[in-house]
PDB file of all heavy atoms in Angstrom:
ATOM      1  N   PRO A   1      99.213 116.916 131.046  1.00  0.00           N
ATOM      2  CA  PRO A   1      98.083 116.179 131.639  1.00  0.00           C
ATOM      3  C   PRO A   1      96.818 116.144 130.721  1.00  0.00           C
ATOM      4  O   PRO A   1      96.014 115.155 130.784  1.00  0.00           O
ATOM      5  CB  PRO A   1      97.759 117.015 132.990  1.00  0.00           C
ATOM      6  CG  PRO A   1      99.183 117.561 133.147  1.00  0.00           C
ATOM      7  CD  PRO A   1      99.778 117.936 131.816  1.00  0.00           C
ATOM      8  N   ALA A   2      96.575 117.305 130.039  1.00  0.00           N
ATOM      9  CA  ALA A   2      95.344 117.312 129.246  1.00  0.00           C
ATOM     10  C   ALA A   2      95.280 116.325 128.107  1.00  0.00           C
ATOM     11  O   ALA A   2      94.193 115.812 127.655  1.00  0.00           O
ATOM     12  CB  ALA A   2      95.205 118.671 128.523  1.00  0.00           C
ATOM     13  N   ALA A   3      96.571 115.749 127.819  1.00  0.00           N
ATOM     14  CA  ALA A   3      96.574 114.688 126.700  1.00  0.00           C
ATOM     15  C   ALA A   3      96.749 113.295 127.377  1.00  0.00           C
ATOM     16  O   ALA A   3      96.968 112.326 126.651  1.00  0.00           O
ATOM     17  CB  ALA A   3      97.733 114.980 125.826  1.00  0.00           C
ATOM     18  N   GLY A   4      96.706 113.226 128.728  1.00  0.00           N
ATOM     19  CA  GLY A   4      96.981 112.045 129.313  1.00  0.00           C
ATOM     20  C   GLY A   4      96.122 110.828 129.094  1.00  0.00           C
ATOM     21  O   GLY A   4      96.593 109.695 129.068  1.00  0.00           O
ATOM     22  N   ARG A   5      94.913 111.093 128.641  1.00  0.00           N
ATOM     23  CA  ARG A   5      93.969 110.009 128.436  1.00  0.00           C
ATOM     24  C   ARG A   5      93.886 109.692 126.913  1.00  0.00           C
ATOM     25  O   ARG A   5      93.186 108.813 126.398  1.00  0.00           O
ATOM     26  CB  ARG A   5      92.584 110.373 128.876  1.00  0.00           C
ATOM     27  CG  ARG A   5      92.436 110.393 130.420  1.00  0.00           C
ATOM     28  CD  ARG A   5      90.921 110.695 130.838  1.00  0.00           C
ATOM     29  NE  ARG A   5      90.428 111.826 130.251  1.00  0.00           N
ATOM     30  CZ  ARG A   5      90.677 113.058 130.736  1.00  0.00           C
ATOM     31  NH1 ARG A   5      91.330 113.176 131.905  1.00  0.00           N
ATOM     32  NH2 ARG A   5      90.017 114.109 130.142  1.00  0.00           N
ATOM     33  N   ALA A   6      94.667 110.393 126.120  1.00  0.00           N
ATOM     34  CA  ALA A   6      94.592 110.253 124.545  1.00  0.00           C
ATOM     35  C   ALA A   6      95.429 109.038 124.230  1.00  0.00           C
ATOM     36  O   ALA A   6      96.506 108.673 124.678  1.00  0.00           O
ATOM     37  CB  ALA A   6      95.199 111.461 123.946  1.00  0.00           C
ATOM     38  N   LYS A   7      94.858 108.254 123.255  1.00  0.00           N
ATOM     39  CA  LYS A   7      95.516 107.123 122.622  1.00  0.00           C
ATOM     40  C   LYS A   7      96.203 107.704 121.340  1.00  0.00           C
ATOM     41  O   LYS A   7      95.442 108.084 120.421  1.00  0.00           O
ATOM     42  CB  LYS A   7      94.616 105.937 122.255  1.00  0.00           C
ATOM     43  CG  LYS A   7      95.293 104.713 121.739  1.00  0.00           C
ATOM     44  CD  LYS A   7      94.277 103.570 121.514  1.00  0.00           C
ATOM     45  CE  LYS A   7      94.986 102.416 120.982  1.00  0.00           C
ATOM     46  NZ  LYS A   7      94.109 101.246 120.748  1.00  0.00           N
ATOM     47  N   VAL A   8      97.487 107.611 121.260  1.00  0.00           N
ATOM     48  CA  VAL A   8      98.241 108.280 120.178  1.00  0.00           C
ATOM     49  C   VAL A   8      98.626 107.177 119.047  1.00  0.00           C
ATOM     50  O   VAL A   8      99.123 106.151 119.461  1.00  0.00           O
ATOM     51  CB  VAL A   8      99.497 108.925 120.798  1.00  0.00           C
ATOM     52  CG1 VAL A   8     100.293 109.551 119.566  1.00  0.00           C
ATOM     53  CG2 VAL A   8      99.165 109.961 121.767  1.00  0.00           C
ATOM     54  N   VAL A   9      98.377 107.583 117.990  1.00  0.00           N
ATOM     55  CA  VAL A   9      98.732 106.729 116.739  1.00  0.00           C
ATOM     56  C   VAL A   9      99.761 107.501 115.897  1.00  0.00           C
ATOM     57  O   VAL A   9      99.590 108.737 115.612  1.00  0.00           O
ATOM     58  CB  VAL A   9      97.586 106.374 115.847  1.00  0.00           C
ATOM     59  CG1 VAL A   9      97.950 105.524 114.644  1.00  0.00           C
ATOM     60  CG2 VAL A   9      96.450 105.684 116.685  1.00  0.00           C
ATOM     61  N   GLN A  10     100.834 106.903 115.346  1.00  0.00           N
ATOM     62  CA  GLN A  10     101.867 107.541 114.563  1.00  0.00           C
ATOM     63  C   GLN A  10     101.821 106.816 113.276  1.00  0.00           C
ATOM     64  O   GLN A  10     101.870 105.565 113.152  1.00  0.00           O
ATOM     65  CB  GLN A  10     103.190 107.542 115.203  1.00  0.00           C
ATOM     66  CG  GLN A  10     104.253 108.092 114.325  1.00  0.00           C
ATOM     67  CD  GLN A  10     105.676 108.005 114.924  1.00  0.00           C
ATOM     68  OE1 GLN A  10     105.858 107.513 116.112  1.00  0.00           O
ATOM     69  NE2 GLN A  10     106.679 108.374 114.162  1.00  0.00           N
ATOM     70  N   CYS A  11     101.831 107.628 112.183  1.00  0.00           N
ATOM     71  CA  CYS A  11     102.217 107.145 110.853  1.00  0.00           C
ATOM     72  C   CYS A  11     103.489 107.851 110.331  1.00  0.00           C
ATOM     73  O   CYS A  11     103.705 108.956 110.744  1.00  0.00           O
ATOM     74  CB  CYS A  11     100.956 107.370 109.903  1.00  0.00           C
ATOM     75  SG  CYS A  11      99.593 106.478 110.180  1.00  0.00           S
ATOM     76  N   HIS A  12     104.158 107.131 109.536  1.00  0.00           N
ATOM     77  CA  HIS A  12     105.510 107.675 109.011  1.00  0.00           C
ATOM     78  C   HIS A  12     105.639 107.364 107.576  1.00  0.00           C
ATOM     79  O   HIS A  12     105.303 106.182 107.214  1.00  0.00           O
ATOM     80  CB  HIS A  12     106.581 107.134 109.791  1.00  0.00           C
ATOM     81  CG  HIS A  12     107.975 107.728 109.341  1.00  0.00           C
ATOM     82  ND1 HIS A  12     108.371 108.898 109.731  1.00  0.00           N
ATOM     83  CD2 HIS A  12     108.845 107.161 108.563  1.00  0.00           C
ATOM     84  CE1 HIS A  12     109.625 109.091 109.200  1.00  0.00           C
ATOM     85  NE2 HIS A  12     109.909 108.116 108.497  1.00  0.00           N
ATOM     86  N   GLY A  13     106.113 108.298 106.838  1.00  0.00           N
ATOM     87  CA  GLY A  13     106.427 107.960 105.394  1.00  0.00           C
ATOM     88  C   GLY A  13     106.895 109.098 104.625  1.00  0.00           C
ATOM     89  O   GLY A  13     107.209 110.259 105.263  1.00  0.00           O
ATOM     90  N   VAL A  14     107.081 109.004 103.329  1.00  0.00           N
ATOM     91  CA  VAL A  14     107.528 110.141 102.479  1.00  0.00           C
ATOM     92  C   VAL A  14     106.314 110.915 102.129  1.00  0.00           C
ATOM     93  O   VAL A  14     106.314 112.149 102.160  1.00  0.00           O
ATOM     94  CB  VAL A  14     108.173 109.569 101.208  1.00  0.00           C
ATOM     95  CG1 VAL A  14     108.566 110.752 100.298  1.00  0.00           C
ATOM     96  CG2 VAL A  14     109.475 108.763 101.672  1.00  0.00           C
ATOM     97  N   PHE A  15     105.185 110.328 101.722  1.00  0.00           N
ATOM     98  CA  PHE A  15     103.871 111.040 101.330  1.00  0.00           C
ATOM     99  C   PHE A  15     104.249 112.105 100.149  1.00  0.00           C
ATOM    100  O   PHE A  15     103.852 113.159 100.186  1.00  0.00           O
ATOM    101  CB  PHE A  15     103.234 111.733 102.559  1.00  0.00           C
ATOM    102  CG  PHE A  15     102.851 110.791 103.593  1.00  0.00           C
ATOM    103  CD1 PHE A  15     103.647 110.660 104.744  1.00  0.00           C
ATOM    104  CD2 PHE A  15     101.760 109.990 103.409  1.00  0.00           C
ATOM    105  CE1 PHE A  15     103.234 109.735 105.697  1.00  0.00           C
ATOM    106  CE2 PHE A  15     101.400 109.059 104.412  1.00  0.00           C
ATOM    107  CZ  PHE A  15     102.165 108.941 105.621  1.00  0.00           C
ATOM    108  N   ASP A  16     105.023 111.555  99.104  1.00  0.00           N
ATOM    109  CA  ASP A  16     105.417 112.385  98.081  1.00  0.00           C
ATOM    110  C   ASP A  16     104.326 112.228  96.983  1.00  0.00           C
ATOM    111  O   ASP A  16     104.305 111.255  96.290  1.00  0.00           O
ATOM    112  CB  ASP A  16     106.772 111.933  97.597  1.00  0.00           C
ATOM    113  CG  ASP A  16     107.368 112.973  96.634  1.00  0.00           C
ATOM    114  OD1 ASP A  16     106.985 114.083  96.637  1.00  0.00           O
ATOM    115  OD2 ASP A  16     108.375 112.584  95.970  1.00  0.00           O
ATOM    116  N   LEU A  17     103.438 113.132  96.929  1.00  0.00           N
ATOM    117  CA  LEU A  17     102.225 113.166  96.090  1.00  0.00           C
ATOM    118  C   LEU A  17     101.154 112.516  96.953  1.00  0.00           C
ATOM    119  O   LEU A  17     101.077 111.229  96.785  1.00  0.00           O
ATOM    120  CB  LEU A  17     102.402 112.515  94.656  1.00  0.00           C
ATOM    121  CG  LEU A  17     101.167 112.652  93.781  1.00  0.00           C
ATOM    122  CD1 LEU A  17     100.841 114.115  93.469  1.00  0.00           C
ATOM    123  CD2 LEU A  17     101.412 111.866  92.469  1.00  0.00           C
ATOM    124  N   LEU A  18     100.392 113.211  97.650  1.00  0.00           N
ATOM    125  CA  LEU A  18      99.343 112.599  98.476  1.00  0.00           C
ATOM    126  C   LEU A  18      98.263 112.084  97.583  1.00  0.00           C
ATOM    127  O   LEU A  18      97.749 112.837  96.736  1.00  0.00           O
ATOM    128  CB  LEU A  18      98.822 113.759  99.496  1.00  0.00           C
ATOM    129  CG  LEU A  18      97.932 113.317 100.490  1.00  0.00           C
ATOM    130  CD1 LEU A  18      98.604 112.465 101.511  1.00  0.00           C
ATOM    131  CD2 LEU A  18      97.388 114.536 101.275  1.00  0.00           C
ATOM    132  N   HIS A  19      97.801 110.917  97.825  1.00  0.00           N
ATOM    133  CA  HIS A  19      96.806 110.302  96.989  1.00  0.00           C
ATOM    134  C   HIS A  19      95.740 109.549  97.813  1.00  0.00           C
ATOM    135  O   HIS A  19      95.852 109.452  99.063  1.00  0.00           O
ATOM    136  CB  HIS A  19      97.441 109.359  95.876  1.00  0.00           C
ATOM    137  CG  HIS A  19      98.290 108.264  96.453  1.00  0.00           C
ATOM    138  ND1 HIS A  19      97.740 107.146  97.132  1.00  0.00           N
ATOM    139  CD2 HIS A  19      99.585 108.070  96.434  1.00  0.00           C
ATOM    140  CE1 HIS A  19      98.750 106.396  97.512  1.00  0.00           C
ATOM    141  NE2 HIS A  19      99.873 106.931  97.137  1.00  0.00           N
ATOM    142  N   ILE A  20      94.784 108.908  97.119  1.00  0.00           N
ATOM    143  CA  ILE A  20      93.558 108.389  97.874  1.00  0.00           C
ATOM    144  C   ILE A  20      94.090 107.200  98.698  1.00  0.00           C
ATOM    145  O   ILE A  20      93.496 107.044  99.807  1.00  0.00           O
ATOM    146  CB  ILE A  20      92.468 107.932  96.886  1.00  0.00           C
ATOM    147  CG1 ILE A  20      91.257 107.537  97.575  1.00  0.00           C
ATOM    148  CG2 ILE A  20      93.037 106.914  95.949  1.00  0.00           C
ATOM    149  CD1 ILE A  20      90.613 108.591  98.386  1.00  0.00           C
ATOM    150  N   GLY A  21      95.083 106.483  98.338  1.00  0.00           N
ATOM    151  CA  GLY A  21      95.579 105.321  99.144  1.00  0.00           C
ATOM    152  C   GLY A  21      96.126 105.917 100.444  1.00  0.00           C
ATOM    153  O   GLY A  21      95.880 105.380 101.620  1.00  0.00           O
ATOM    154  N   HIS A  22      96.889 107.058 100.425  1.00  0.00           N
ATOM    155  CA  HIS A  22      97.342 107.654 101.696  1.00  0.00           C
ATOM    156  C   HIS A  22      96.243 108.137 102.585  1.00  0.00           C
ATOM    157  O   HIS A  22      96.225 107.920 103.748  1.00  0.00           O
ATOM    158  CB  HIS A  22      98.270 108.951 101.279  1.00  0.00           C
ATOM    159  CG  HIS A  22      99.556 108.573 100.690  1.00  0.00           C
ATOM    160  ND1 HIS A  22     100.135 109.380  99.686  1.00  0.00           N
ATOM    161  CD2 HIS A  22     100.399 107.605 100.892  1.00  0.00           C
ATOM    162  CE1 HIS A  22     101.263 108.809  99.291  1.00  0.00           C
ATOM    163  NE2 HIS A  22     101.530 107.784  99.999  1.00  0.00           N
ATOM    164  N   ILE A  23      95.199 108.800 101.871  1.00  0.00           N
ATOM    165  CA  ILE A  23      94.184 109.360 102.696  1.00  0.00           C
ATOM    166  C   ILE A  23      93.339 108.251 103.467  1.00  0.00           C
ATOM    167  O   ILE A  23      93.076 108.382 104.618  1.00  0.00           O
ATOM    168  CB  ILE A  23      93.217 110.167 101.748  1.00  0.00           C
ATOM    169  CG1 ILE A  23      93.892 111.406 101.202  1.00  0.00           C
ATOM    170  CG2 ILE A  23      91.963 110.606 102.454  1.00  0.00           C
ATOM    171  CD1 ILE A  23      93.212 112.069 100.075  1.00  0.00           C
ATOM    172  N   ARG A  24      93.155 107.270 102.876  1.00  0.00           N
ATOM    173  CA  ARG A  24      92.447 106.023 103.455  1.00  0.00           C
ATOM    174  C   ARG A  24      93.232 105.439 104.528  1.00  0.00           C
ATOM    175  O   ARG A  24      92.739 105.059 105.553  1.00  0.00           O
ATOM    176  CB  ARG A  24      92.001 105.058 102.377  1.00  0.00           C
ATOM    177  CG  ARG A  24      90.936 105.547 101.396  1.00  0.00           C
ATOM    178  CD  ARG A  24      90.573 104.486 100.356  1.00  0.00           C
ATOM    179  NE  ARG A  24      89.433 104.954  99.499  1.00  0.00           N
ATOM    180  CZ  ARG A  24      89.092 104.310  98.443  1.00  0.00           C
ATOM    181  NH1 ARG A  24      89.605 103.123  98.053  1.00  0.00           N
ATOM    182  NH2 ARG A  24      88.144 104.893  97.627  1.00  0.00           N
ATOM    183  N   HIS A  25      94.480 105.334 104.243  1.00  0.00           N
ATOM    184  CA  HIS A  25      95.418 104.830 105.214  1.00  0.00           C
ATOM    185  C   HIS A  25      95.402 105.645 106.569  1.00  0.00           C
ATOM    186  O   HIS A  25      95.378 105.157 107.713  1.00  0.00           O
ATOM    187  CB  HIS A  25      96.887 104.779 104.636  1.00  0.00           C
ATOM    188  CG  HIS A  25      97.991 104.467 105.576  1.00  0.00           C
ATOM    189  ND1 HIS A  25      98.121 103.292 106.207  1.00  0.00           N
ATOM    190  CD2 HIS A  25      99.038 105.220 106.021  1.00  0.00           C
ATOM    191  CE1 HIS A  25      99.222 103.272 106.980  1.00  0.00           C
ATOM    192  NE2 HIS A  25      99.720 104.528 106.919  1.00  0.00           N
ATOM    193  N   LEU A  26      95.493 106.960 106.311  1.00  0.00           N
ATOM    194  CA  LEU A  26      95.514 107.877 107.525  1.00  0.00           C
ATOM    195  C   LEU A  26      94.130 107.981 108.141  1.00  0.00           C
ATOM    196  O   LEU A  26      94.091 108.086 109.429  1.00  0.00           O
ATOM    197  CB  LEU A  26      95.905 109.316 106.994  1.00  0.00           C
ATOM    198  CG  LEU A  26      97.250 109.391 106.455  1.00  0.00           C
ATOM    199  CD1 LEU A  26      97.589 110.733 105.913  1.00  0.00           C
ATOM    200  CD2 LEU A  26      98.364 109.152 107.589  1.00  0.00           C
ATOM    201  N   GLN A  27      93.114 107.847 107.420  1.00  0.00           N
ATOM    202  CA  GLN A  27      91.675 107.764 108.017  1.00  0.00           C
ATOM    203  C   GLN A  27      91.648 106.529 108.971  1.00  0.00           C
ATOM    204  O   GLN A  27      91.043 106.584 109.999  1.00  0.00           O
ATOM    205  CB  GLN A  27      90.655 107.891 106.998  1.00  0.00           C
ATOM    206  CG  GLN A  27      90.496 109.187 106.345  1.00  0.00           C
ATOM    207  CD  GLN A  27      89.476 109.166 105.154  1.00  0.00           C
ATOM    208  OE1 GLN A  27      89.290 108.128 104.524  1.00  0.00           O
ATOM    209  NE2 GLN A  27      88.940 110.320 104.868  1.00  0.00           N
ATOM    210  N   GLU A  28      92.183 105.346 108.361  1.00  0.00           N
ATOM    211  CA  GLU A  28      92.083 104.162 109.260  1.00  0.00           C
ATOM    212  C   GLU A  28      92.901 104.336 110.489  1.00  0.00           C
ATOM    213  O   GLU A  28      92.578 103.786 111.556  1.00  0.00           O
ATOM    214  CB  GLU A  28      92.563 102.979 108.395  1.00  0.00           C
ATOM    215  CG  GLU A  28      92.570 101.667 109.113  1.00  0.00           C
ATOM    216  CD  GLU A  28      93.054 100.486 108.272  1.00  0.00           C
ATOM    217  OE1 GLU A  28      93.017 100.615 107.016  1.00  0.00           O
ATOM    218  OE2 GLU A  28      93.494  99.510 108.886  1.00  0.00           O
ATOM    219  N   ALA A  29      94.042 104.972 110.296  1.00  0.00           N
ATOM    220  CA  ALA A  29      95.019 105.182 111.439  1.00  0.00           C
ATOM    221  C   ALA A  29      94.277 106.051 112.558  1.00  0.00           C
ATOM    222  O   ALA A  29      94.291 105.609 113.755  1.00  0.00           O
ATOM    223  CB  ALA A  29      96.252 105.878 111.069  1.00  0.00           C
ATOM    224  N   ARG A  30      93.618 107.000 112.127  1.00  0.00           N
ATOM    225  CA  ARG A  30      92.883 107.928 113.137  1.00  0.00           C
ATOM    226  C   ARG A  30      91.814 107.161 113.898  1.00  0.00           C
ATOM    227  O   ARG A  30      91.535 107.440 115.058  1.00  0.00           O
ATOM    228  CB  ARG A  30      92.294 109.115 112.353  1.00  0.00           C
ATOM    229  CG  ARG A  30      91.668 110.206 113.281  1.00  0.00           C
ATOM    230  CD  ARG A  30      92.696 110.816 114.182  1.00  0.00           C
ATOM    231  NE  ARG A  30      92.158 111.835 115.104  1.00  0.00           N
ATOM    232  CZ  ARG A  30      91.448 111.673 116.118  1.00  0.00           C
ATOM    233  NH1 ARG A  30      91.218 110.450 116.513  1.00  0.00           N
ATOM    234  NH2 ARG A  30      91.026 112.643 116.771  1.00  0.00           N
ATOM    235  N   GLN A  31      91.219 106.179 113.285  1.00  0.00           N
ATOM    236  CA  GLN A  31      90.175 105.351 113.929  1.00  0.00           C
ATOM    237  C   GLN A  31      90.711 104.513 115.016  1.00  0.00           C
ATOM    238  O   GLN A  31      89.939 104.047 115.915  1.00  0.00           O
ATOM    239  CB  GLN A  31      89.452 104.588 112.898  1.00  0.00           C
ATOM    240  CG  GLN A  31      88.593 105.494 111.932  1.00  0.00           C
ATOM    241  CD  GLN A  31      87.979 104.617 110.729  1.00  0.00           C
ATOM    242  OE1 GLN A  31      88.119 103.380 110.712  1.00  0.00           O
ATOM    243  NE2 GLN A  31      87.206 105.353 109.908  1.00  0.00           N
ATOM    244  N   LEU A  32      91.951 104.312 114.965  1.00  0.00           N
ATOM    245  CA  LEU A  32      92.683 103.429 115.997  1.00  0.00           C
ATOM    246  C   LEU A  32      93.021 104.157 117.190  1.00  0.00           C
ATOM    247  O   LEU A  32      93.490 103.519 118.183  1.00  0.00           O
ATOM    248  CB  LEU A  32      93.937 102.806 115.348  1.00  0.00           C
ATOM    249  CG  LEU A  32      93.818 101.901 114.230  1.00  0.00           C
ATOM    250  CD1 LEU A  32      95.139 101.352 113.731  1.00  0.00           C
ATOM    251  CD2 LEU A  32      92.831 100.681 114.586  1.00  0.00           C
ATOM    252  N   GLY A  33      92.896 105.477 117.294  1.00  0.00           N
ATOM    253  CA  GLY A  33      93.244 106.191 118.463  1.00  0.00           C
ATOM    254  C   GLY A  33      92.465 107.555 118.652  1.00  0.00           C
ATOM    255  O   GLY A  33      91.538 107.868 117.830  1.00  0.00           O
ATOM    256  N   ASP A  34      92.998 108.322 119.498  1.00  0.00           N
ATOM    257  CA  ASP A  34      92.475 109.777 119.707  1.00  0.00           C
ATOM    258  C   ASP A  34      93.204 110.801 119.108  1.00  0.00           C
ATOM    259  O   ASP A  34      92.688 111.927 118.908  1.00  0.00           O
ATOM    260  CB  ASP A  34      92.309 109.976 121.166  1.00  0.00           C
ATOM    261  CG  ASP A  34      91.571 108.945 121.993  1.00  0.00           C
ATOM    262  OD1 ASP A  34      90.412 108.617 121.635  1.00  0.00           O
ATOM    263  OD2 ASP A  34      92.149 108.326 122.856  1.00  0.00           O
TER     264      ASP A  34
END
């Protein structure tokens, strides 16, 4: 119930060597939900 009002965003991938493109992609994803 505590998460009932949350808007959930999922990203999926390999993320083999995390780089700035990944970070910006994930930051944009977080802005689309809670």
Side-chain angles (χ1 to χ4, degrees):
R5 293 186 302 275
K7 183 178 182 181
V8 177
V9 181
Q10 179 187 352
C11 290
H12 178 83
V14 176
F15 300 101
D16 196 14
L17 184 62
L18 191 63
H19 56 72
I20 188 62
H22 288 143
I23 293 171
R24 291 178 179 175
H25 170 70
L26 295 171
Q27 288 173 334
E28 178 178 340
R30 185 61 175 79
Q31 293 172 3
L32 297 178
D34 305 303

